Amino acid sequence: MHKVVLDMDPGIDDALALILALKSSEVQVLGITTVAGNAPVEVTSANARRVLEYLNVESIPVAMGAANPLNHPLEDALSYHGPDGLGNCGLAMPLTPVHAAKAWDFLARLVLDAPHEVTLVATGPLTNVACAFERYPELPGLLAGLVLMGGAYGLTPYGKGNRTPFAEFNIWQDPEAAHTVVKSGMDILAVGLDVTMDPAACLNSQHLEQIKTKQTQAAHVAARLVEFGIEHRGCCRMHDPLALAALLDASLLDFISAKVEVVTGNDWDRGATRILPPDSSRSVQVASAVDGPRFVRLFLSCILEE
Ligand code: BDR
Ligand code: CA
């Protein structure tokens, strides 16, 4: 059983990752920290709670984090995720309040109380994680691991940017935060566009029909989210669920051990993630291939379980 904190910016695919985590018997979600990214942080915080309340797990705390990237203004992705950030899925607005603590303090408390037991799965810009590492320098050494969705590493034909031709959205949004996190030296699994854009790892209309046959709350909300993706782009990209799946079953992916550089600043290559020649500094495990059909099966079997 993995004790997990989800740091996210829901976001259609973040919400699908959250549902996957909640339905997986191998994961215990200790809490959610929310960050600005796909939408302003008030919206991502509301969206996390909308999903939790719909699935009757509102006891899971949601701690709000950074409203802006460290050095740049927020440029959200509501044009991609729909005006409410969740593809107009129709979930009610939340009744439960956010947790009293800020995201980084909330995360630190959980990790300090259970050293080496908590894994962080980060599927948004890395602002909260960088803030946590700066305020609590012991944190990287006390986490059980960090799995992140971010980057485009040129390891497959799909490993090109999506926010710019050179950069993936999460890393582009806050490259300074990503730089801090990568430099922290902790064990990192990075799941980037090289694998999440593999067409075999996307959901199509046949998968949607399968989800629609189930009359559970989880299947109902998943269907609404997936349908929005298919209607607007022909298939539903599964960036963030694939990052979570790396924790559930790492054998779904191949990884290479690489030294990664994040391009900071605001030049044409902002947010690019480059693989450098090896040196003495710590490597990141970067996903280089995915068994898409097996991932989709794992996702559907979890989501469709009663
Ligand atoms: C990432 O960007 C966001 O829009 C998605 O939620 C995902 O985390 C993909 O580049
Ligand atoms: Ca995300």
Side-chain angles (χ1 to χ4, degrees):
M1 177 71 98
H2 300 282
K3 291 182 181 170
V4 162
V5 173
L6 303 171
D7 183 73
M8 48 174 42
D9 62 336
I12 291 175
D13 57 331
D14 299 82
L16 289 167
L18 171 55
I19 300 167
L20 177 60
L22 294 171
K23 294 290 291 177
S24 165
S25 53
E26 284 139 67
V27 165
Q28 182 192 359
V29 181
L30 302 179
I32 298 172
T33 52
T34 49
V35 66
N38 287 322
V41 72
E42 290 78 13
V43 177
T44 62
S45 305
N47 286 349
R49 289 173 297 141
R50 289 167 79 195
V51 174
L52 293 177
E53 289 182 16
Y54 191 72
L55 299 184
N56 299 312
V57 283
E58 55 271 27
S59 54
I60 294 176
V62 175
M64 199 188 299
N68 287 295
L70 297 177
N71 284 6
H72 303 278
L74 174 69
E75 293 194 28
D76 68 47
L78 289 173
S79 59
Y80 184 97
H81 292 266
D84 70 339
L86 289 185
N88 278 334
C89 65
L91 293 184
M93 289 314 279
L95 299 172
T96 46
V98 289
H99 195 269
K102 291 302 282 186
W104 32 87
D105 298 325
F106 172 80
L107 172 67
R109 175 70 13 242
L110 285 174
V111 176
L112 295 171
D113 285 351
H116 311 292
E117 287 182 25
V118 179
T119 300
L120 181 59
V121 180
T123 58
L126 291 163
T127 322
N128 288 345
V129 186
C131 288
F133 286 6
E134 270 161 18
R135 276 157 220 240
Y136 302 91
E138 67 276 39
L139 220 55
L142 294 177
L143 277 161
L146 168 63
V147 183
L148 64 88
M149 191 285 135
Y153 303 87
L155 297 171
T156 74
Y158 315 111
K160 310 183 197 92
N162 60 357
R163 179 57 183 77
T164 72
F166 315 100
E168 181 278 330
F169 177 83
N170 289 338
I171 305 294
W172 181 90
Q173 190 71 244
D174 198 343
E176 285 70 24
H179 177 72
T180 298
V181 171
V182 166
K183 263 192 27 197
S184 71
M186 72 164 299
D187 288 340
I188 298 175
L189 286 190
V191 176
L193 299 176
D194 307 72
V195 289
T196 68
M197 288 298 285
D198 186 325
C202 292
L203 296 192
N204 59 32
S205 46
Q206 280 143 20
H207 302 128
L208 176 60
E209 288 317 309
Q210 242 176 293
I211 298 172
K212 281 183 170 173
T213 60
K214 279 280 171 186
Q215 298 308 320
T216 61
Q217 305 283 87
H220 187 217
V221 62
R224 303 284 285 271
L225 296 166
V226 169
E227 191 154 41
F228 185 89
I230 292 174
E231 266 172 17
H232 288 79
R233 276 166 291 275
C235 78
C236 182
R237 301 277 179 212
M238 300 292 278
H239 307 287
D240 297 343
L242 188 52
L244 189 88
L247 182 67
L248 301 180
D249 182 356
S251 77
L252 291 168
L253 296 150
D254 292 341
F255 291 92
I256 62 155
S257 189
K259 183 168 157 44
V260 170
E261 175 193 57
V262 178
V263 179
T264 55
N266 204 12
D267 218 337
W268 60 273
D269 53 353
R270 165 180 168 181
T273 40
R274 295 199 182 119
I275 292 186
L276 300 179
D279 66 9
S280 57
S281 63
R282 196 62 167 266
S283 296
V284 175
Q285 302 302 310
V286 182
S288 58
V290 60
D291 184 339
R294 199 153 71 79
F295 159 66
V296 170
R297 281 201 299 280
L298 173 119
F299 178 81
L300 291 176
S301 71
C302 271
I303 294 285
L304 299 180
E305 209 156 80
E306 296 284 340

